């Protein structure tokens, strides 16, 4: 029995070592980028395997020693990736100060899951939490009709109902200025770009994104996902915007692309130095990671960030309350990471690759849509009547 257990720990250790090295490959294919996601799980399995090997290895020969050394290095690598999102790291965003008449923005992000019919759960949650801004993702006409119930309190809206899992809706109590729906890279993958007037008349930018994930069923590469995020990040920096970016980015905070986005944009992550906000997958507690994000300019401090109860989707909603404190900007700018020349070069290359990949995917989606329309017409068209 102990021999079987020891062999199991050896196999698990080998898998963690392999996955840690595999993720370093400079490829955008889903079968490489996929190992970016479960780093917390890799870390837990790696530590358990290490303890098991230390306790059960009967004879320490060079192969066993080499395995332990490689496993320790792999654990160290995984730990370095996830440790910033714990209380053991310095907080990147300051806690908001108590102020008279504070200027705050309470923002809720919810990937509703298009087939999910539990629309009332989100309506009730919005009524309970009273966010200033609600961003829904994967929302279609069904969700749009259900959310009409909140519109009396949310007079400013942007509606992009789609049935391709990339619909998007924005509801706001705060004034939206010149909102635009943009299709940055793929013709049927929208994003919302708008200015928002805060309660003190300060105007900021809000970007709502939901790029395609790298997966065998959607985009076979992360190229367009990465490029979409970097396009917006570069735009924010180039125009010196005070901005908030939020949405389901189909990426994790510790990925190479997301970290590069932070350096390129100068935006901060309120989770650093605090805790994970693992939003996906609702039904599999051990297989959860953070896909829903919010990043913001250094003039915002954090009042609160919390994961909300499930509404029947595969994602938990997230509620973040930020406070506008211009006096905190200088101090917090020191916490922002700066882009290197290499970052800027890689960003430019990624964006060009993303544009090419976006053209290809747009054509594929158009062809698939035409095929689906043809099949639908054949199904609904009655056969000709015989004379």
């Amino acid at each position: 029995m102990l021999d079987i257990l020891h062999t199991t720990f050896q196999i698990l250790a080998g898998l963690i070592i392999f996955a840690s090295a595999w993720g370093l490959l400079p490829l955008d294919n889903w079968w490489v980028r996929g190992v970016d996601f479960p780093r917390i799980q890799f870390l837990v399995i790696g530590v358990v395997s290490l303890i098991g090997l230390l306790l059960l290895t009967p004879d320490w020969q060079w192969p066993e020693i080499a395995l332990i050394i490689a496993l320790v290095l792999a654990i160290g690598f995984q730990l370095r990736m996830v440790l910033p999102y714990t209380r053991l790291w310095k907080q990147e965003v300051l806690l908001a100060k108590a102020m008279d008449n504070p200027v705050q923005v309470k923002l809720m992000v919810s990937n509703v899951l298009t087939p999910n019919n539990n629309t009332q759960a989100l309506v009730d949650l919005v009524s309970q939490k009273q966010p200033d801004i609600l961003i829904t993702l994967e929302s279609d006409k069904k969700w749009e009709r259900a959310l009409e119930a909140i519109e009396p309190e949310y007079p400013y809206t942007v509606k992009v109902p789609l049935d391709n899992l990339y619909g998007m809706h924005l509801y706001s109590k705060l004034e939206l200025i010149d909102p635009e729906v943009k299709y940055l890279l793929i013709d049927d993958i929208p994003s919302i770009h708008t200015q928002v007037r805060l309660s003190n008349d300060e105007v900021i930018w809000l970007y709502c994104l939901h790029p395609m994930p790298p997966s065998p069923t959607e985009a076979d590469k992360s190229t367009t996902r990465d490029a979409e995020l970097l396009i917006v990040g570069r735009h924010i920096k180039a125009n010196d915007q005070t901005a908030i970016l939020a949405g389901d980015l189909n990426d994790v905070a510790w990925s190479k692309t997301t970290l590069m986005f932070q350096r390129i944009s100068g935006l901060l992550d309120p989770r650093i130095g605090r805790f994970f906000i693992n939003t996906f997958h609702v039904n599999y507690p051990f297989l959860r990671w953070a896909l829903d994000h919010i990043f913001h300019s250094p003039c915002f401090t954090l009042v609160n960030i919390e994961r909300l109860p499930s509404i029947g989707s595969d994602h938990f909603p997230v509620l973040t309350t930020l406070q506008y404190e211009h006096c905190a900007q200088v101090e917090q700018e020191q916490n922002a990471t700066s882009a290197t020349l290499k970052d800027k070069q890689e960003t430019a290359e990624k964006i060009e690759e993303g544009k090419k990949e976006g053209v290809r995917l747009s054509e594929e989606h158009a062809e698939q849509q035409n095929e689906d329309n043809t099949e639908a017409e054949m199904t609904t068209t009655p056969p000709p009547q015989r004379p």
Side-chain angles (χ1 to χ4, degrees), residues 28-31 184-189 212-225 351-369:
D28 288 348
N29 304 79
W30 69 265
W31 36 267
L184 294 174
L185 293 170
I186 304 175
D187 290 347
D188 55 357
I189 308 294
M212 292 183 73
S215 78
T217 58
E218 296 193 57
D220 55 358
K221 294 182 179 181
S222 67
T223 310
T224 55
R225 179 202 68 183
I351 290 173
E352 287 306 311
E353 292 171 6
K355 290 177 180 178
K356 295 176 183 177
E357 185 71 6
V359 170
R360 184 182 72 83
L361 289 173
S362 295
E363 292 173 352
E364 284 187 4
H365 292 184
E367 290 175 4
Q368 184 62 51
Q369 186 62 49

Side-chain angles (χ1 to χ4, degrees), residues 203-220:
V203 175
I204 67 166
W205 281 88
L206 174 66
Y207 295 91
C208 311
L209 270 62
H210 185 205
M212 292 183 73
S215 78
T217 58
E218 296 193 57
D220 55 358

Side-chain angles (χ1 to χ4, degrees), residues 43-342:
L43 179 60
V44 172
I45 295 170
V47 170
V48 170
S49 300
L50 178 62
I51 294 171
L53 290 174
L54 290 175
L55 293 176
L56 298 178
T57 299
D59 186 20
W60 288 97
Q61 300 295 328
W62 276 112
E64 287 77 17
I65 294 172
L67 180 65
I68 290 292
I69 292 173
L71 179 58
V72 168
L73 291 174
I75 290 172
F77 173 72
Q78 301 295 347
L79 185 62
R80 175 61 184 85
M81 300 301 287
V82 304
L83 195 61
Y85 306 91
T86 70
R87 297 185 188 277
L88 298 176
W89 209 260
K90 178 186 175 183
Q91 292 181 355
E92 190 166 274
V93 177
L94 298 173
L95 195 64
K97 295 178 181 178
M99 303 174 68
D100 294 330
N101 301 315
V103 179
Q104 297 183 349
V105 182
K106 185 187 290 188
L107 189 148
M108 183 189 294
V109 176
S110 182
N111 183 319
V112 299
L113 184 65
T114 302
N116 174 22
N117 291 318
N118 194 13
T119 56
Q120 189 61 40
L122 179 59
V123 172
D124 292 343
L125 194 59
V126 170
S127 178
Q128 176 191 349
K129 295 296 183 178
Q130 288 294 310
D132 299 308
I133 295 173
L134 169 68
I135 302 168
T136 66
L137 308 164
E138 292 199 28
S139 40
D140 57 3
K141 275 290 186 183
K142 171 190 67 182
W143 280 93
E144 184 176 301
R145 288 191 295 269
L147 289 169
E148 288 176 358
I150 72 170
E151 288 190 27
E153 295 187 56
Y154 293 84
Y156 303 98
T157 61
V158 182
K159 302 175 182 179
V160 195
L162 297 172
D163 56 8
N164 64 350
L165 304 181
Y166 291 96
M168 181 180 294
H169 289 70
L170 172 61
Y171 299 86
S172 179
K173 295 179 179 180
L174 302 172
E175 180 188 356
L176 302 181
I177 303 171
D178 298 329
E180 290 185 80
V181 176
K182 295 189 177 183
Y183 298 82
L184 294 174
L185 293 170
I186 304 175
D187 290 347
D188 55 357
I189 308 294
S191 58
I192 298 173
H193 306 218
T194 184
Q195 295 180 80
V196 180
R197 190 181 304 279
L198 303 183
S199 60
N200 64 343
D201 281 337
E202 191 75 28
V203 175
I204 67 166
W205 281 88
L206 174 66
Y207 295 91
C208 311
L209 270 62
H210 185 205
M212 292 183 73
S215 78
T217 58
E218 296 193 57
D220 55 358
K221 294 182 179 181
S222 67
T223 310
T224 55
R225 179 202 68 183
D226 300 345
E228 183 169 330
L229 188 58
L230 293 172
I231 285 171
V232 176
R234 190 171 68 173
H235 178 80
I236 290 170
K237 189 68 173 181
N239 292 278
D240 195 24
Q241 293 178 344
T242 299
I244 296 173
L245 182 144
D248 172 5
L249 302 184
N250 278 311
D251 199 4
V252 282
W254 48 75
S255 78
K256 178 181 178 182
T257 300
T258 305
L259 294 174
M260 187 185 297
F261 159 77
Q262 279 200 261
R263 295 193 296 271
I264 287 293
S265 66
L267 301 190
L268 305 180
D269 185 344
R271 295 164 298 184
I272 292 179
R274 288 188 168 87
F275 36 72
F276 303 108
I277 303 289
N278 292 334
T279 55
F280 175 91
H281 191 288
V282 168
N283 296 330
Y284 308 108
F286 184 69
L287 293 176
R288 280 183 190 161
W289 39 75
L291 293 188
D292 301 273
H293 306 263
I294 183 169
F295 300 96
H296 58 80
S297 293
C299 59
F300 289 100
T301 55
L302 181 68
V303 177
N304 188 43
I305 183 169
E306 61 177 318
R307 190 179 73 186
L308 300 177
S310 170
I311 61 164
S313 172
D314 50 356
H315 289 245
F316 291 100
V318 177
L319 182 69
T320 307
T321 305
L322 302 175
Q323 183 164 297
Y324 183 83
E325 294 185 38
H326 195 271
C327 59
Q329 180 162 343
V330 174
E331 183 177 356
Q332 292 200 139
E333 278 179 340
Q334 298 174 6
N335 297 335
T337 51
S338 300
T340 64
L341 179 60
K342 182 180 179 182

